[in-house]
Amino acid sequence: MLSERIKNMVPSGTLEINARVFELREAGTEIVNLSVGEPDFNTSDAAKIGGIKAIVENKTRYDKAPGLMELREAICGKLSRENGVEYTPDQIVVTNGAKQCITNACLTLLNPGDEVLIPAPYWVSYPEIVKICGGKPVFVETKRENDFKLTGEDIEKYATDKTKMIILCNPSNPLGTVHTRAELQGIADVCVPRGIYIMSDEVYERICFADEFVSMASISEAKDMTVLINGLSKSIPMTGWRIGYTATTAEIAKAMGSLQGHITSHPSMVSQWAGVDALNSGSDYTGMMIGKYRERMEAASAYLKKELPEVPFIEPKGAFYLFLDISCVKSAIEALPGATEEYSKDFTMKLLNEKHVAVAPGSAFGMDGFIRIAYATDLDSIIEGLSRIKDLVKELESK
Ligand SMILES: Cc1ncc(COP(=O)(O)O)c(C=O)c1O
């Protein structure tokens, strides 16, 4: 019999979409896929060569649970150089992707029933990981006038004596927003005096179009209450290599390392050595990727503003997502035969079945009425996808 923990787990809200994409592709239909949260760039040469060298030089044995010392040193160097935050290797734990950082942090900090504030819209895995680890996700309603960015005020409304942690996704998946220093300070001002931990998921931090990216850990009074989550999946990119990392206090890092020692030991040594070379090499490749993302974001934003003004979107400042407000077609979608309670999902399925464009429904991120577009694909596909979205919106509006 399956455990209650597993029975309570909700499958990802994008599963149905992905399954239909596979079905259509198997039937020979070409899909414009704007649903994938994975960079379309290959892993940098520095990382690839680092991995190959590790294999050839037999650097493939068991190592320390919190991660290879050379990689933890490289991570400290990166955090100091790029984020202005100082950590020592005993404060770093290297994991199998950022997902494991989040799981490690929840298992290390949460007691059964502890509340974790999760601002909506949220990345799909946060609530499920919190539940698996015995915590209680509490969804925080954010405000449209703040572009749905979490504020200290929002936290104040939802915090109780059971609140142990908040999860901040910055830059945000799915919003594409980036918190300013003042906004982060506002969050710290509420969390720190109440002893609420701030899990700051900064995996998209290098993909930032704002004037600066500010890490939560750089707000000095918040640093000791921050569990910084980052990784190499999106930035190098090294999605399939599975390297994430946590930076936090030495006490929490030590506990996480012990936990990880029992569960997975550490990530692949080949991937860890690749990570060392990736982090210690120059930033030309990252710069090239960011340039491309910016070009696509600007082209997609310009297209939407000109061609589809009835579909407003959150001004993107980072990551590679556009969050589009499709409320203009709400009544048309809800009037369709077989409509469900989630009109963003119905719209998404209709778009996929009729126009062969895959996007993610806002309902998967806890916010119906929106769709998420990933611009981690070539510009022609993005514009083609947007023009088909426009066709569907116009058809629905004319009903
Ligand atoms: C916000 C956010 N955090 C964490 C992750 C997990 O990243 P990783 O591949 O390093 O496990 C993702 C992946 O899509 C993400 O979007």
Side-chain angles (χ1 to χ4, degrees):
M1 204 43 169
L2 298 179
S3 68
E4 291 305 314
R5 182 183 302 120
I6 290 302
K7 282 196 248 163
N8 283 337
M9 200 170 70
V10 180
S12 162
T14 50
L15 221 61
E16 212 178 314
I17 310 295
N18 293 340
R20 186 70 187 129
V21 169
F22 275 115
E23 253 174 41
L24 287 167
R25 279 192 168 148
E26 268 165 27
T29 310
E30 277 201 25
I31 304 292
V32 177
N33 199 345
L34 306 181
S35 72
V36 187
E38 177 167 20
D40 55 322
F41 299 101
N42 292 323
T43 297
S44 71
D45 285 347
K48 284 193 274 197
I49 292 164
I52 292 166
K53 258 189 359 216
I55 297 173
V56 173
E57 292 171 11
N58 295 308
K59 293 171 163 176
T60 52
R61 298 184 185 276
Y62 285 144
D63 204 88
K64 296 185 183 69
L68 177 69
M69 181 52 84
E70 284 84 342
L71 180 53
R72 284 184 283 149
E73 283 168 355
I75 290 166
C76 291
K78 182 262 174 232
L79 290 172
S80 172
R81 247 184 352 263
E82 295 181 20
N83 307 105
V85 287
E86 302 304 323
Y87 285 98
T88 46
D90 61 331
Q91 296 179 283
I92 308 293
V93 181
V94 183
T95 58
N96 293 280
K99 270 185 187 167
Q100 197 192 358
C101 299
I102 300 165
T103 313
N104 279 352
C106 288
L107 285 173
T108 302
L109 292 173
L110 300 181
N111 284 311
D114 278 349
E115 293 178 359
V116 178
L117 303 190
I118 303 177
Y122 46 76
W123 179 52
V124 291
S125 294
Y126 294 145
E128 300 316 306
I129 295 176
V130 167
K131 284 195 287 177
I132 290 166
C133 299
K136 183 177 166 212
V138 175
F139 300 111
V140 175
E141 200 182 316
T142 52
K143 293 193 196 72
R144 177 75 186 233
E145 65 259 34
N146 296 330
D147 283 348
F148 303 114
K149 285 197 268 185
L150 180 72
T151 66
E153 234 175 63
D154 297 330
I155 300 170
E156 245 162 6
K157 252 207 256 167
Y158 288 82
T160 70
D161 54 0
K162 290 209 178 89
T163 308
K164 185 75 179 272
M165 188 158 76
I166 65 153
I167 303 183
L168 176 71
C169 187
N170 183 38
S172 161
N173 174 8
L175 290 167
T177 49
V178 173
H179 275 70
T180 62
R181 181 174 290 281
E183 288 164 343
L184 294 176
Q185 185 70 55
I187 292 173
D189 288 347
V190 175
C191 291
V192 176
R194 288 174 170 76
I196 298 173
Y197 285 100
I198 304 166
M199 187 197 287
S200 187
D201 180 346
E202 301 179 2
V203 296
Y204 292 98
E205 139 261 4
R206 276 184 167 176
I207 309 167
C208 177
F209 318 120
D211 293 341
E212 60 166 352
F213 172 78
V214 182
S215 170
M216 182 47 107
S218 71
I219 307 292
S220 52
E221 62 273 36
K223 189 173 176 223
D224 283 352
M225 291 304 290
T226 298
V227 180
L228 177 65
I229 308 290
N230 205 333
L232 307 188
S233 290
K234 316 287 176 177
S235 58
I236 301 301
M238 287 177 67
T239 43
W241 299 70
R242 311 308 299 133
I243 297 289
Y245 59 87
T246 309
T248 184
T249 64
E251 187 196 4
I252 298 174
K254 189 171 175 214
M256 281 186 191
S258 304
L259 168 76
Q260 179 162 293
H262 286 299
I263 299 178
T264 59
S265 295
H266 54 72
S268 147
M269 292 308 288
V270 175
S271 299
Q272 292 199 68
W273 280 112
V276 173
D277 284 4
L279 285 176
N280 289 339
S281 69
S283 57
D284 289 1
Y285 193 68
T286 313
M288 178 280 292
M289 286 190 298
I290 297 167
K292 291 272 182 212
Y293 286 131
R294 181 189 282 274
E295 194 185 312
R296 296 166 183 178
M297 178 275 286
E298 286 174 352
S301 303
Y303 181 94
L304 284 166
K305 280 180 186 160
K306 180 160 180 267
E307 302 290 334
L308 212 47
E310 64 270 56
V311 174
F313 56 93
I314 308 299
E315 205 62 49
K317 291 277 170 35
F320 41 66
Y321 303 110
L322 280 164
F323 207 49
L324 272 50
D325 179 343
I326 54 157
S327 51
C328 63
V329 293
K330 183 174 193 277
S331 48
I333 288 280
E334 285 177 345
L336 292 174
T340 69
E341 287 187 345
E342 295 172 6
Y343 77 93
S344 62
K345 196 166 127 198
D346 294 344
F347 178 89
T348 302
M349 282 313 260
K350 197 170 170 60
L351 182 68
L352 182 54
N353 287 325
E354 295 177 17
K355 305 291 179 197
H356 304 147
V357 179
V359 300
S363 55
F365 309 98
M367 190 170 273
D368 202 16
F370 286 78
I371 55 170
R372 188 199 71 177
I373 283 171
Y375 47 91
T377 187
D378 65 281
L379 190 50
D380 287 348
S381 304
I382 296 166
I383 298 300
E384 177 60 29
L386 292 178
S387 85
R388 295 191 204 176
I389 291 173
K390 176 182 157 189
D391 291 346
L392 180 59
V393 168
K394 299 289 177 199
E395 277 170 35
L396 286 164
E397 281 179 332
S398 67
K399 279 194 191 257

